Amino acid sequence: MEKKNLDWENIGFGYIKTDKRFVANYKNGAWDNGVLTEDDKVVISECAGVLQYAQTCFEGLKAYTTENGQIVMFRPDMNAARMARSCKRLEMPVFPEEKFVDAVAQTVRANMAWVPPFGSGATLYIRPYMFGSSQVIGVKPADEYQFRVFTTPVGPYFKGGAKPLTIKVSDFDRAAPNGTGHIKAGANYAMSLHAIVTAHEEGFAENMYLDAATRTKVEETGGANFLFVTKDGKVVTPKSNSILPSITRRSLMYVAKEYLGLEVEEREVFIDEVKDFAECGLCGTAAVISPVGKVVHHGEEIAFPSGMEKMGDTIQKLYDTLTGIQMGKIEAPKGWIYTIEEV
Ligand code: PLP
Ligand code: COI
């Protein structure tokens, strides 16, 4: 398989159009089989549900080239299940989970030449998404939907790669207690744009959102969950009903316990105790694990002992083990790796 001629080591996290995408339509109560197409344009009514009332949700996962040259995806069944939960919460028709996995596999297979080579630091990001495509003017769900999957090669999500980030505690809320924080609704990201632009203008890489009800507990950032490491080496992650259940975070907690023999804990984490942790990282498909060196809370600087130069030791071990599993260097737990067969 001849690869595209890209400067793989230096691509950022942006959109690069690849050859084929998957498109399926829902009409009269049923999904069609879907097709792969070269057409990257979406044509919908000016009154489509997605345009008027933001009826849309999405997923994000990656394909990797392993050490022995195979192309694999990481836990696509977990994305299928989470997308089904997002659809139900947004009154959208579920795209059947097995068909979801098949659709992402078909899309990767059709874009094999775009999967970055092993060792380049880049990966193929896969974006499945769904939206209400029929006309809606009174507030109600659409009758027709489109499910699509595209791929784009990506490098690191944060500029500077593995350099520790400085983030701020946001004064904006991301998710209400019984809202949509636990699903991947497009609307969650629309409402975070002002907060992220503000944070960037102030020189911060990301926002730490607190729980909207009490503003005392750590939730997550705009696109990743938190992991903390205590001074005695325990891995702690915030528990809340209004954060997105990150597949990376759930995988890392398993890796910490089963591969590294660390103690792990999912519990409420109060902003007042953040100063006591030894290490902090942001985890997600795009973020992988990005170390945090400093959190600024209304002018007060909370600097982690791991510093601003490199990842802390535990976060580094978690990073090495997870990426080792994804790249085929370390044996994966059963069912985590989905191999794309070349045809
Ligand atoms: N939290 C938010 C708000 C996200 O958008 C993402 C990205 O998908 C994550 C967390 C990380 O989730 P995952 O590890 O499943 O990619
Ligand atoms: C992902 O990690 O897949 C996401 O959807 C996060 C987004 C901020 C790129």
PDB file of all heavy atoms in Angstrom, residues 13 58 60 125 127 157 184 223 284-286, ligand 2:
ATOM      1  N   PHE A  13      -3.332  19.075  14.391  1.00  0.00           N
ATOM      2  CA  PHE A  13      -4.669  18.502  14.539  1.00  0.00           C
ATOM      3  C   PHE A  13      -5.619  19.349  13.700  1.00  0.00           C
ATOM      4  O   PHE A  13      -6.221  20.307  14.181  1.00  0.00           O
ATOM      5  CB  PHE A  13      -5.083  18.474  16.015  1.00  0.00           C
ATOM      6  CG  PHE A  13      -6.248  17.554  16.260  1.00  0.00           C
ATOM      7  CD1 PHE A  13      -6.043  16.234  16.625  1.00  0.00           C
ATOM      8  CD2 PHE A  13      -7.554  17.998  16.114  1.00  0.00           C
ATOM      9  CE1 PHE A  13      -7.118  15.373  16.829  1.00  0.00           C
ATOM     10  CE2 PHE A  13      -8.639  17.139  16.318  1.00  0.00           C
ATOM     11  CZ  PHE A  13      -8.405  15.829  16.679  1.00  0.00           C
ATOM     12  N   PHE A  58     -21.726  13.248  17.738  1.00  0.00           N
ATOM     13  CA  PHE A  58     -20.573  12.726  17.001  1.00  0.00           C
ATOM     14  C   PHE A  58     -19.749  11.813  17.874  1.00  0.00           C
ATOM     15  O   PHE A  58     -20.007  11.660  19.067  1.00  0.00           O
ATOM     16  CB  PHE A  58     -19.747  13.892  16.438  1.00  0.00           C
ATOM     17  CG  PHE A  58     -19.012  14.715  17.464  1.00  0.00           C
ATOM     18  CD1 PHE A  58     -17.666  14.490  17.716  1.00  0.00           C
ATOM     19  CD2 PHE A  58     -19.650  15.722  18.175  1.00  0.00           C
ATOM     20  CE1 PHE A  58     -16.970  15.253  18.643  1.00  0.00           C
ATOM     21  CE2 PHE A  58     -18.963  16.490  19.110  1.00  0.00           C
ATOM     22  CZ  PHE A  58     -17.620  16.251  19.341  1.00  0.00           C
ATOM     23  N   GLY A  60     -15.396  10.174  18.123  1.00  0.00           N
ATOM     24  CA  GLY A  60     -14.013  10.356  17.678  1.00  0.00           C
ATOM     25  C   GLY A  60     -13.217   9.132  18.083  1.00  0.00           C
ATOM     26  O   GLY A  60     -13.271   8.708  19.236  1.00  0.00           O
ATOM     27  N   TYR A 125      -7.491  10.073  12.388  1.00  0.00           N
ATOM     28  CA  TYR A 125      -8.646  10.373  13.244  1.00  0.00           C
ATOM     29  C   TYR A 125      -9.916  10.043  12.466  1.00  0.00           C
ATOM     30  O   TYR A 125     -10.046  10.383  11.282  1.00  0.00           O
ATOM     31  CB  TYR A 125      -8.616  11.852  13.632  1.00  0.00           C
ATOM     32  CG  TYR A 125      -9.669  12.243  14.638  1.00  0.00           C
ATOM     33  CD1 TYR A 125      -9.587  11.820  15.957  1.00  0.00           C
ATOM     34  CD2 TYR A 125     -10.756  13.035  14.260  1.00  0.00           C
ATOM     35  CE1 TYR A 125     -10.558  12.187  16.884  1.00  0.00           C
ATOM     36  CE2 TYR A 125     -11.724  13.400  15.183  1.00  0.00           C
ATOM     37  CZ  TYR A 125     -11.611  12.978  16.500  1.00  0.00           C
ATOM     38  OH  TYR A 125     -12.568  13.326  17.419  1.00  0.00           O
ATOM     39  N   ARG A 127     -14.060  10.338  12.351  1.00  0.00           N
ATOM     40  CA  ARG A 127     -15.141  11.157  12.906  1.00  0.00           C
ATOM     41  C   ARG A 127     -16.502  10.651  12.403  1.00  0.00           C
ATOM     42  O   ARG A 127     -16.955  11.023  11.319  1.00  0.00           O
ATOM     43  CB  ARG A 127     -14.912  12.622  12.512  1.00  0.00           C
ATOM     44  CG  ARG A 127     -16.023  13.610  12.861  1.00  0.00           C
ATOM     45  CD  ARG A 127     -16.441  13.595  14.302  1.00  0.00           C
ATOM     46  NE  ARG A 127     -15.450  13.963  15.288  1.00  0.00           N
ATOM     47  CZ  ARG A 127     -15.186  15.195  15.720  1.00  0.00           C
ATOM     48  NH1 ARG A 127     -15.821  16.221  15.221  1.00  0.00           N
ATOM     49  NH2 ARG A 127     -14.295  15.394  16.679  1.00  0.00           N
ATOM     50  N   TYR A 157      -2.850  16.959  19.487  1.00  0.00           N
ATOM     51  CA  TYR A 157      -3.956  17.905  19.673  1.00  0.00           C
ATOM     52  C   TYR A 157      -3.452  19.233  20.216  1.00  0.00           C
ATOM     53  O   TYR A 157      -3.912  20.292  19.817  1.00  0.00           O
ATOM     54  CB  TYR A 157      -4.992  17.302  20.634  1.00  0.00           C
ATOM     55  CG  TYR A 157      -6.256  18.123  20.708  1.00  0.00           C
ATOM     56  CD1 TYR A 157      -7.076  18.261  19.595  1.00  0.00           C
ATOM     57  CD2 TYR A 157      -6.632  18.774  21.884  1.00  0.00           C
ATOM     58  CE1 TYR A 157      -8.224  19.015  19.638  1.00  0.00           C
ATOM     59  CE2 TYR A 157      -7.781  19.542  21.940  1.00  0.00           C
ATOM     60  CZ  TYR A 157      -8.581  19.665  20.818  1.00  0.00           C
ATOM     61  OH  TYR A 157      -9.720  20.417  20.856  1.00  0.00           O
ATOM     62  N   LYS A 184     -22.137  12.964  23.665  1.00  0.00           N
ATOM     63  CA  LYS A 184     -21.296  13.755  22.758  1.00  0.00           C
ATOM     64  C   LYS A 184     -22.182  14.554  21.809  1.00  0.00           C
ATOM     65  O   LYS A 184     -22.205  14.339  20.592  1.00  0.00           O
ATOM     66  CB  LYS A 184     -20.343  12.813  22.010  1.00  0.00           C
ATOM     67  CG  LYS A 184     -18.911  13.305  22.057  1.00  0.00           C
ATOM     68  CD  LYS A 184     -17.926  12.242  21.710  1.00  0.00           C
ATOM     69  CE  LYS A 184     -16.712  12.803  21.012  1.00  0.00           C
ATOM     70  NZ  LYS A 184     -16.027  13.921  21.674  1.00  0.00           N
ATOM     71  N   GLY A 223     -12.509  18.971  25.929  1.00  0.00           N
ATOM     72  CA  GLY A 223     -12.367  17.807  25.048  1.00  0.00           C
ATOM     73  C   GLY A 223     -11.609  16.650  25.657  1.00  0.00           C
ATOM     74  O   GLY A 223     -11.131  15.774  24.930  1.00  0.00           O
ATOM     75  N   GLY A 284      -7.910  11.622  26.369  1.00  0.00           N
ATOM     76  CA  GLY A 284      -8.971  11.510  25.381  1.00  0.00           C
ATOM     77  C   GLY A 284      -8.372  10.993  24.089  1.00  0.00           C
ATOM     78  O   GLY A 284      -7.147  10.882  23.976  1.00  0.00           O
ATOM     79  N   THR A 285      -9.220  10.698  23.119  1.00  0.00           N
ATOM     80  CA  THR A 285      -8.730  10.203  21.838  1.00  0.00           C
ATOM     81  C   THR A 285      -7.785  11.220  21.207  1.00  0.00           C
ATOM     82  O   THR A 285      -6.679  10.886  20.792  1.00  0.00           O
ATOM     83  CB  THR A 285      -9.918   9.914  20.906  1.00  0.00           C
ATOM     84  OG1 THR A 285     -10.695   8.899  21.528  1.00  0.00           O
ATOM     85  CG2 THR A 285      -9.468   9.458  19.539  1.00  0.00           C
ATOM     86  N   ALA A 286      -8.228  12.476  21.149  1.00  0.00           N
ATOM     87  CA  ALA A 286      -7.394  13.513  20.535  1.00  0.00           C
ATOM     88  C   ALA A 286      -6.204  13.851  21.436  1.00  0.00           C
ATOM     89  O   ALA A 286      -5.073  13.968  20.975  1.00  0.00           O
ATOM     90  CB  ALA A 286      -8.237  14.754  20.261  1.00  0.00           C
TER      91      ALA A 286
HETATM   92  C1  COI B   2     -11.853  13.372  20.687  1.00  0.00           C
HETATM   93  O1  COI B   2     -10.908  13.265  21.471  1.00  0.00           O
HETATM   94  O2  COI B   2     -12.117  12.517  19.835  1.00  0.00           O
HETATM   95  C2  COI B   2     -12.738  14.526  20.710  1.00  0.00           C
HETATM   96  O3  COI B   2     -13.808  14.433  20.212  1.00  0.00           O
HETATM   97  C3  COI B   2     -12.287  15.760  21.349  1.00  0.00           C
HETATM   98  C4  COI B   2     -12.305  16.928  20.443  1.00  0.00           C
HETATM   99  C5  COI B   2     -11.946  18.100  21.296  1.00  0.00           C
HETATM  100  C6  COI B   2     -11.384  16.813  19.272  1.00  0.00           C
END
